[in-house]
Amino acid sequence: MKFAVFLDIDGVLNTRTTVERTPDGYTGIDDARVDIIAKAVRKYGDTDIVLSSDWKELKQDDDDFIYLTSKLEKQGLHLAGKTSDHWNNRGEGILRYLDSHPEINEFVILDDNRFDFLDYPKLWERLLITRGVERAVFASDTPAVEAIIFLDYIKLFS
Ligand SMILES: [Mg+2]
């Protein structure tokens, strides 16, 4: 059994009031928010963190990408992979990733935007809409059980 978190960055690990900046001068990542996700993941068990954020378009050796991975790794989080998508069809990218990783049988999506997620009930029921991870709420009126559990853990550690 394998659990995955599809992770957006902006609006999840930061908000518009975040002061921290990346090496290239963009809105940075708040350690307190990484800490919440790290603790929730540890409590959930064996978890793959998959980058679905636009940060995935950065090259591996880009200063900002190195900044991202070091912020995550400082708290024990490693990126297992990233999705690929076009025209903001982030849900399609996640479905493709799931297709090529059949070992993942439970997952949640952390994102502050809805994109195309509503087109796919399986994704919509596992989407936690954020305004900063500590203010995550269910997208769906009928959330999947892993979304219910994971949101509980987020609240526990917020
Ligand atoms: Mg975002």
Side-chain angles (χ1 to χ4, degrees):
M1 192 183 80
K2 184 75 152 183
F3 179 61
V5 173
F6 290 96
L7 183 65
D8 179 34
I9 303 296
D10 296 314
V12 179
L13 297 181
N14 60 33
T15 63
R16 260 168 291 174
T17 59
T18 294
V19 177
E20 164 98 13
R21 286 290 174 265
T22 70
D24 289 341
Y26 295 98
T27 305
I29 289 167
D30 294 311
D31 290 325
R33 294 186 163 114
V34 179
D35 181 61
I36 292 169
I37 293 176
K39 285 175 174 159
V41 157
R42 227 170 291 141
K43 190 159 171 65
Y44 202 100
D46 188 17
T47 301
D48 275 358
I49 305 289
V50 182
L51 190 63
S52 53
S53 161
D54 287 341
W55 287 58
K56 65 182 179 275
E57 310 299 343
L58 293 170
K59 292 199 165 64
Q60 301 265 9
D61 61 354
D62 187 286
D63 285 346
D64 278 2
F65 194 78
I66 293 166
Y67 165 84
L68 165 65
T69 53
S70 66
K71 280 279 184 188
L72 296 175
E73 281 173 10
K74 214 163 62 179
Q75 306 202 42
L77 295 176
H78 308 279
L79 291 176
K82 56 185 182 179
T83 61
S84 61
D85 45 54
H86 312 281
W87 312 111
N88 274 335
N89 287 333
R90 216 170 259 191
E92 263 182 36
I94 289 174
L95 287 173
R96 256 197 307 276
Y97 190 92
L98 289 168
D99 269 351
S100 58
H101 294 81
E103 72 278 12
I104 297 171
N105 48 14
E106 293 181 3
F107 65 94
V108 298
I109 302 165
L110 293 176
D111 209 302
D112 64 327
N113 283 299
R114 289 152 182 265
F115 296 106
D116 58 342
F117 296 132
L118 187 53
D119 296 343
Y120 310 102
K122 182 167 112 177
L123 302 185
W124 187 248
E125 290 168 0
R126 289 164 178 79
L127 171 62
L128 301 176
I129 296 271
T130 63
R131 284 184 300 129
V133 66
E134 72 282 7
R135 283 187 294 264
V137 294
F138 300 123
S140 172
D141 293 333
T142 54
V145 68
E146 56 262 48
I148 295 172
I149 294 169
F150 199 73
L151 183 58
D152 266 354
Y153 292 167
I154 286 174
K155 293 199 160 139
L156 183 63
F157 296 117
S158 292

